[in-house]
């Protein structure tokens, strides 16, 4: 009987070794793609000054951040909190090290972030994010928006086995449309209504516009705008057909056309699709241009599995230097939970934490087994030697739960006989010498 409650705090993910191995494998696949696309890895502190974290956060972030309790020794330090994402700390990092970095600065971060929101199924308070960003000094070519999006698609392809769609828009388009309609003071409210439109009936969205005091003619224009989605040529044609005479709107359409055009040159294969979609808004205040969200059409209830966008002014609270950027984030903790829940994690047959388990039948084979383990480790394979004094069947049971392959060492094998290796997932046996070649 437990003396105290040993369960994790609500909203914190804790995995068993096999699931952790699958999680780590997905993380490594993503980070490998980031590295191969030329992104440099950094780490920012988990604890930062509260004024830094909240400088451009907006919304309910202040209610959700975890404040750090101060000890007597740290009582004189500035107010501190746990970071809630990687983007805001990155802005601080770039300002701090600006003279030591090379721009455009292509950077990746992966680690835990914290938000004190209400814990629920698939929504965590402690969560692992894997980000990429490109930061420019003075300016940042629009082509980097397409590069970041393309890198994210390639990363998702390494472990997403179903069709998925990267949906792209540009915040300038809606801002220009709202300005043209004379509704600038209601931009935040209109953005929120559109952002939630897919989660509620169309009638509810219409009523929300009416509650904002928007007249029927303007609501019709907004609703027609919201329906625009599809391939580049189709989306750009429909946006131009709205005949919105506004400079910001036109700039946003041109930027979207450029980004989608660059992505059209990429061959993402049959499972990945890229479209323009005016329902994509993104909730965080710091996005100013291109915005992305990624969905699996067969599992729309899951929501976005990857998101991001361009931010022109994020570092403006820390410096007079203009440092525009574009980035995208994969929230792996939530995504792993959902894929597991929907049984969409495939190719996990050989996903135990250890590659090979060596099972000596008795103590007489311990020396040979330990020497063999070093030989196998030299091949880059993690290897465990089962040194318990249990029956062989119990040793095999243990090995099959922790390792992907098993090698039994008896008197014959230790004396120079042929050694075989068993695949625990399939039951197939083969020569160890052949396996290690």
């Amino acid at each position: 009987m437990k003396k105290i409650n040993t369960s994790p705090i609500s909203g914190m993910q804790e995995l068993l070794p096999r699931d952790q191995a699958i999680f780590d494998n997905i993380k490594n696949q993503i980070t490998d793609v980031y590295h191969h696309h030329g992104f440099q890895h950094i780490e920012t502190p988990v604890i930062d000054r509260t004024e830094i974290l909240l400088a451009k956060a907006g919304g309910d972030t202040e209610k959700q951040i975890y404040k750090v309790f101060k000890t007597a020794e740290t009582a004189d330090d500035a107010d501190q909190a746990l970071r809630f994402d990687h983007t805001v700390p990155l802005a601080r990092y770039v300002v701090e090290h600006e003279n030591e970095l090379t721009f455009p600065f292509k950077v990746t971060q992966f680690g835990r972030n914290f938000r004190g929101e209400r814990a629920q199924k698939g929504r965590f308070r402690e969560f692992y994010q894997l980000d990429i960003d490109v930061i420019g000094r003075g300016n940042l070519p629009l082509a980097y928006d397409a590069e970041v999006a393309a890198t994210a698609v390639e990363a998702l392809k390494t472990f997403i086995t179903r069709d998925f769609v990267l949906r792209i828009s540009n915040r300038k388009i809606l801002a220009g449309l709202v300005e043209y309609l004379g509704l600038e003071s209601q931009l935040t409210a209109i953005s929120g209504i559109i952002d939630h439109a897919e989660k509620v009936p169309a009638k509810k969205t219409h009523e929300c516009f009416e509650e904002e005091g928007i007249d029927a003619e303007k609501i019709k224009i907004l609703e027609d705008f919201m329906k625009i989605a599809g391939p580049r040529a189709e989306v750009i044609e429909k946006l131009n057909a709205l005949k919105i005479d506004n400079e910001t709107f036109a700039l946003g359409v041109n930027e979207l056309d450029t980004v989608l055009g660059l992505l059209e040159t990429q061959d993402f294969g049959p499972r990945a699709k890229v479209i323009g979609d005016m329902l994509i808004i993104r909730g965080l205040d710091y996005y100013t241009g291109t915005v992305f969200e990624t969905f699996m059409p067969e599992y729309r209830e899951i929501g976005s599995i990857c998101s991001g966008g361009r931010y022109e002014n994020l570092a403006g609270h820390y410096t007079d230097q203009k440092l525009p950027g574009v980035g995208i984030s994969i929230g792996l903790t939530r995504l792993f939970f959902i894929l597991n829940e929907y049984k969409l994690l495939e190719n996990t047959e050989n996903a135990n934490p250890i590659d090979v388990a060596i099972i000596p039948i008795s103590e007489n084979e311990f020396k040979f087994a330990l020497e063999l383990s070093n030989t196998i480790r030299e091949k880059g394979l993690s290897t465990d030697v089962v040194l318990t004094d249990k029956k062989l069947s119990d040793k095999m049971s243990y090995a099959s739960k922790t390792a992907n392959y098993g090698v039994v060492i008896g008197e014959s094998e230790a004396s120079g006989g042929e050694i075989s290796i068993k695949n625990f997932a399939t039951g197939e046996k083969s020569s160890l010498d052949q396996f290690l070649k």
Side-chain angles (χ1 to χ4, degrees):
M1 184 175 178
K2 294 181 181 179
K3 293 182 179 179
I4 61 171
N5 183 3
T6 58
S7 63
I9 294 172
S10 176
M12 308 294 173
Q13 179 172 266
E14 190 170 73
L15 302 174
L16 291 172
R18 188 174 191 278
D19 285 337
Q20 187 69 57
I22 298 170
F23 182 96
D24 291 345
N25 183 51
I26 294 173
K27 176 172 70 72
N28 292 337
Q29 288 175 312
I30 296 171
T31 56
D32 282 349
V33 171
Y34 289 174
H35 175 70
H36 290 145
H37 280 253
F39 289 86
Q40 306 169 71
H41 177 226
I42 65 163
E43 292 185 1
T44 56
V46 173
I47 300 174
D48 215 325
R49 297 178 185 86
T50 304
E51 64 175 327
I52 292 286
L53 297 176
L54 295 179
K56 188 64 176 173
D60 294 328
T61 305
E62 187 167 5
K63 300 175 185 177
Q64 297 176 352
I65 65 169
Y66 280 98
K67 291 290 188 72
V68 174
F69 177 77
K70 296 181 181 180
T71 67
E73 292 185 358
T74 63
D76 294 333
D77 290 351
D79 197 16
Q80 299 166 1
L82 300 181
R83 68 185 181 204
F84 59 85
D85 75 356
H86 287 308
T87 310
V88 175
L90 174 62
R92 180 204 58 75
Y93 177 95
V94 173
V95 170
E96 178 65 19
H97 301 286
E98 180 185 350
N99 294 329
E100 303 158 88
L101 299 175
T102 302
F103 293 89
F105 180 43
K106 294 179 61 175
V107 59
T108 176
Q109 302 174 83
F110 31 94
R112 289 180 173 87
N113 293 314
F114 305 84
R115 292 182 192 174
E117 54 189 355
R118 184 170 65 87
Q120 50 189 302
K121 193 173 184 179
R123 184 71 65 180
F124 296 87
R125 293 171 175 172
E126 178 191 50
F127 49 94
Y128 221 101
Q129 284 185 304
L130 297 97
D131 290 21
I132 50 172
D133 292 86
V134 184
I135 309 295
R137 181 155 57 183
N139 65 80
L140 182 68
L142 198 60
Y144 282 108
D145 294 32
E147 185 190 23
V148 164
T151 303
V153 170
E154 294 296 343
L156 291 172
K157 281 169 55 182
T158 63
F159 67 99
I160 298 292
T161 58
R162 299 295 194 273
D163 293 348
F164 64 91
V165 181
L166 180 71
R167 301 160 67 189
I168 303 181
S169 187
N170 190 298
R171 278 200 162 186
K172 294 185 180 75
I173 299 175
L174 178 61
L177 173 61
V178 169
E179 186 178 306
Y180 172 79
L181 295 175
L183 303 171
E184 298 99 312
S185 64
Q186 293 161 277
L187 174 60
T188 300
I190 292 170
S191 297
I193 293 169
I194 296 175
D195 193 33
H196 288 87
E198 291 184 286
K199 302 172 185 175
V200 299
K203 182 181 178 182
K204 176 64 176 175
T205 299
H206 188 88
E207 290 172 352
C208 288
F209 283 137
E210 288 181 328
E211 290 169 6
E212 286 296 317
I214 304 172
D215 65 48
E217 183 179 349
K218 292 178 180 178
I219 290 177
K220 175 67 166 57
I221 293 173
L222 288 169
E223 290 177 337
D224 288 344
F225 168 79
M226 290 165 56
K227 294 174 185 175
I228 296 175
R232 180 186 63 84
E234 178 184 327
V235 166
I236 301 305
E237 181 182 355
K238 288 182 177 179
L239 286 170
N240 289 331
L242 293 176
K243 299 189 182 303
I244 305 301
D245 184 15
N246 178 274
E247 186 176 336
T248 303
F249 180 89
L251 178 59
V253 172
N254 287 336
E255 289 184 359
L256 179 63
D257 191 17
T258 299
V259 173
L260 289 173
L262 289 168
L263 288 169
E264 279 184 343
T265 66
Q266 304 291 309
D267 180 12
F268 294 126
R271 286 187 290 113
K273 184 179 179 182
V274 178
I275 64 169
D277 193 328
M278 296 307 102
L279 285 176
I280 302 305
I281 299 296
R282 299 292 294 129
L284 291 173
D285 292 342
Y286 50 67
Y287 292 119
T288 56
T290 304
V291 281
F292 327 87
E293 289 199 9
T294 314
F295 296 84
M296 290 188 287
E298 295 176 79
Y299 303 92
R300 290 300 300 274
E301 68 276 15
I302 288 176
S304 178
I305 60 174
C306 173
S307 57
R310 175 175 278 246
Y311 42 91
E312 295 290 342
N313 308 309
L314 189 61
H317 288 265
Y318 317 134
T319 179
D320 293 329
Q321 173 71 269
K322 187 179 180 184
L323 297 167
V326 59
I328 203 159
S329 176
I330 298 175
L332 188 56
T333 300
R334 174 178 174 271
L335 185 52
F336 179 82
F337 175 88
I338 290 171
L339 294 177
N340 216 8
E341 188 83 358
Y342 280 75
K343 296 182 171 32
L344 297 177
L345 288 172
E346 298 184 1
N347 302 320
T348 60
E349 281 187 347
N350 291 323
N352 281 330
I354 307 300
D355 293 321
V356 180
I358 300 176
I359 306 106
I361 292 178
S362 71
E363 291 184 9
N364 296 329
E365 290 80 41
F366 278 7
K367 184 176 183 295
F368 181 86
L370 291 168
E371 291 173 350
L372 179 61
S373 71
N374 291 329
T375 300
I376 297 176
R377 289 181 189 122
E378 288 173 359
K379 298 292 184 178
L381 299 170
S382 59
T383 308
D384 178 31
V385 181
V386 182
L387 298 172
T388 63
D389 57 359
K390 296 183 178 181
K391 296 185 298 184
L392 178 59
S393 59
D394 291 334
K395 293 180 181 180
M396 292 293 288
S397 176
Y398 165 85
S400 67
K401 292 174 182 177
T402 60
N404 299 312
Y405 296 88
V407 176
V408 176
I409 302 298
E411 184 179 351
S412 172
E413 288 82 3
S415 300
E418 184 176 355
I419 301 173
S420 63
I421 185 167
K422 179 180 180 179
N423 184 324
F424 285 129
T426 65
E428 295 178 359
K429 290 185 177 181
S430 59
S431 164
L432 179 62
D433 287 341
Q434 288 295 118
F435 178 83
L436 295 178
K437 280 186 178 179

